[in-house]
């Protein structure tokens, strides 16, 4: 090759590399952009959909409107990951069509080809979702939400909608959506949990195409401040037994306003969900975890992701060109307290794939403890774990030199955890955004353990082995660079681990 030609090719290559790099810089490093929580490159996102683990890959689909940063005609966006932390955005999976927008739903691997969509031994993935017909809704029709299916023969990258959709027609219920399907081994059938206004209706099917109503659960039970949405039914193991969990999102009616996710524990016999629970239990007491469900095809270990926002202000948060991120993936567990089974959530251990430098500090008598100075520098991305043998009042504050601060902590006199974003920065875009959020301490143990996950503009607090969880987003005018712990009753931290985290974007 001639020298000049070589030089020309090299120049083109370099220009392309630099352009791509600066494009990536721009798109994942805008103001407020999370660095290790999934968010789409551009456009509007809400619920996680169709989450499945298949052939060593995690697939996360999501409610997506690519053409604007506010909600619109819903598509299913798609992203994949090998470790639940590094995500690769993929082409859009499902587009709206003549039956309507593509609302939330689930995906299963049809290993026995019960649907008949599989060919030559390929396991078909089946998406079960809600078609939302806008025209019918506007015309005053009640039956505008129906359930449909699509199948994929290439591991979830391309989808073919079933030509006889919908597979479940609307019986005259305005809110009739968000099918979550799982396999019920004892009866060898599929079970669909569907949100039907103020309850969850269970349907069963042998082939995913024809569905029979089995039962209803929830009228008059739990929180009913708004419509029920995005249910998920699955067993978790406790002491060798299966405890069935039903997650139900409700909008509005959350414990601190707006939308939130509650859960019920009980038993499922293939027909009925039976629960003796009389109290309302929240998976997360923060305001920014909604519509979350679990991955299918992960066995008895259940991993959860929620939308890290709230319908009360999701459309108004001050980001430009993109809107909202998902929560950190969390593994769910069960603990028994008295005669109650409670669900715990803890961040997935794969977060250690982005550990950078770490500091371990032991025996800290806290009054005012400047953690940022102690570790050298607080750069906005961190996992912090600390323990104490005796719980005391404490607060953890993130702040900047403008005097803005985000505070989370525990109040011993009131026995509650809290998040205070009143002075956190931009709060004006919604009247309640700057409010004080409470979460009961559920653990009765004398000691304390805390995990905090901080990603520039979000903080996830996991207390007492994940019994009390708070997820909160915030928008300071300048990044927080200060980090300190206070305690006016003298918290003695036994061990503190600080992990600086790396960005997952280029
Ligand atoms: C929950 C929800 C679902 C619906 C989707 C629409 O956040 O309202 O019930 O399927 O969002 O985008």
């Amino acid at each position: 090759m001639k020298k000049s030609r070589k030089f020309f090719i090299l120049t083109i290559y370099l220009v392309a590399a630099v352009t791509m790099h600066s494009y990536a810089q721009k798109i994942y490093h805008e103001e407020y952009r999370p660095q290790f929580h999934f968010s789409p490159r551009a456009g509007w996102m809400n619920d996680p959909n169709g989450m499945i683990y298949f052939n060593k890959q995690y697939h996360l689909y999501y409610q997506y409107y690519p053409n604007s940063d506010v909600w619109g005609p819903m598509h299913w966006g798609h992203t994949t990951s090998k470790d639940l932390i590094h995500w690769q955005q993929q082409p859009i999976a499902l587009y709206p069509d003549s039956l309507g927008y593509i609302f939330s739903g689930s995906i299963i691997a049809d290993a026995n080809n019960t649907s008949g969509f599989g060919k030559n031994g390929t396991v078909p993935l089946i998406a079960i979702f809600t078609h939302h017909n806008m025209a019918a809704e506007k015309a005053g029709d009640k039956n505008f939400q129906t359930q449909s299916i699509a199948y994929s023969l290439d591991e979830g990258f391309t989808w073919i909608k079933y030509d006889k959709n919908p597979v479940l027609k609307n019986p005259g219920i305005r809110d009739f959506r968000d099918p979550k399907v799982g396999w019920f081994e004892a009866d060898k059938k599929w079970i669909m949990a569907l949100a039907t206004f103020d309850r969850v209706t269970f349907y069963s099917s042998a082939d995913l195409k024809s569905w029979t109503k089995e039962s209803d659960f929830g009228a008059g039970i739990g929180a009913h401040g708004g419509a029920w949405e995005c249910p998920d039914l699955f067993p978790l193991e406790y002491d060798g037994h299966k405890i069935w969990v039903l997650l139900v999102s409700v909008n509005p009616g959350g414990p601190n306003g707006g939308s939130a996710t509650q859960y019920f524990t009980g038993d499922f016999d293939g027909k009925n969900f039976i629960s003796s629970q009389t109290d309302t239990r929240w998976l997360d007491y923060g305001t920014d975890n909604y519509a979350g469900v679990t991955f299918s095809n992960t066995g008895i270990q259940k991993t959860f992701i929620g939308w890290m926002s709230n319908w009360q202000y999701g459309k108004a948060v001050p980001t430009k060109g993109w809107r909202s991120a998902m929560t950190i993936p969390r593994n769910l567990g069960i603990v028994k307290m008295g005669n109650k089974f409670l669900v715990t959530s803890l961040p997935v251990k794969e977060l250690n794939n982005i550990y950078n430098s770490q500091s371990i500090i032991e025996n800290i008598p806290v009054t005012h403890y400047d953690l940022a100075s102690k570790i050298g520098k607080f750069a906005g991305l961190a996992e912090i774990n600390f323990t104490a043998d005796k719980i005391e009042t404490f607060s953890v504050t993130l702040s900047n030199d403008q005097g803005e601060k985000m505070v989370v902590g525990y109040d011993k006199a009131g026995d509650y955890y809290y998040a205070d974003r009143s002075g956190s920065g931009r709060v004006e875009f919604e009247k309640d955004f700057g409010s004080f959020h409470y979460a009961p301490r559920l653990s009765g143990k004398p000691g304390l353990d805390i995990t905090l996950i901080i990603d520039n503009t979000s903080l996830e607090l996991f207390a007492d082995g994940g019994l009390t969880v708070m997820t909160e987003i915030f928008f300071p005018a300048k990044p927080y660079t200060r980090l300190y712990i206070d305690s006016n009753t003298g918290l003695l931290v036994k061990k503190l681990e600080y992990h600086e985290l790396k960005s997952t974007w280029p």
Side-chain angles (χ1 to χ4, degrees), residues 34 37-40 44-48 63 69 71 229 249-251 254 256-261 284-292 304-319 322-328 330 421 429-430 433 437 457-460 470-475:
H37 287 74
F38 175 73
S39 59
W44 165 270
M45 175 178 82
N46 56 287
D47 313 0
Q63 287 288 277
D69 57 14
W71 191 91
E229 301 184 314
S249 285
V250 58
N251 176 36
N256 286 294
S259 46
T261 302
D284 193 319
Y285 284 84
T287 44
D288 298 290
N289 178 358
Y290 192 62
F304 167 98
I305 293 180
W307 173 44
M308 196 157 60
S309 193
N310 189 311
W311 281 118
Q312 200 173 325
Y313 47 73
K315 295 173 189 174
V317 295
T319 58
W322 61 280
R323 263 219 183 82
S324 77
M326 295 300 179
T327 67
I328 207 71
R330 301 157 185 203
R421 57 183 182 194
F429 54 86
E430 202 278 327
F433 189 81
H437 303 151
T457 52
S458 66
L459 189 152
E460 291 158 281
M470 298 187 89
T471 302
E472 301 274 332
I473 57 172
F474 36 84
F475 303 92

Side-chain angles (χ1 to χ4, degrees), residues 44-49 63-64 71-72 74-76 101-105 130 132 145 175-179 195 227-231 249 251 259 290-292 307 311:
W44 165 270
M45 175 178 82
N46 56 287
D47 313 0
N49 294 151
Q63 287 288 277
Y64 188 39
W71 191 91
M74 283 289 110
H75 301 55
W76 274 25
Y101 296 177
I102 313 297
F103 270 23
S104 291
T130 300
H132 178 101
Q145 293 183 335
D175 295 285
F176 187 73
R177 59 178 178 270
D178 309 337
W228 280 19
E229 301 184 314
C230 301
S249 285
N251 176 36
S259 46
Y290 192 62
W307 173 44
W311 281 118

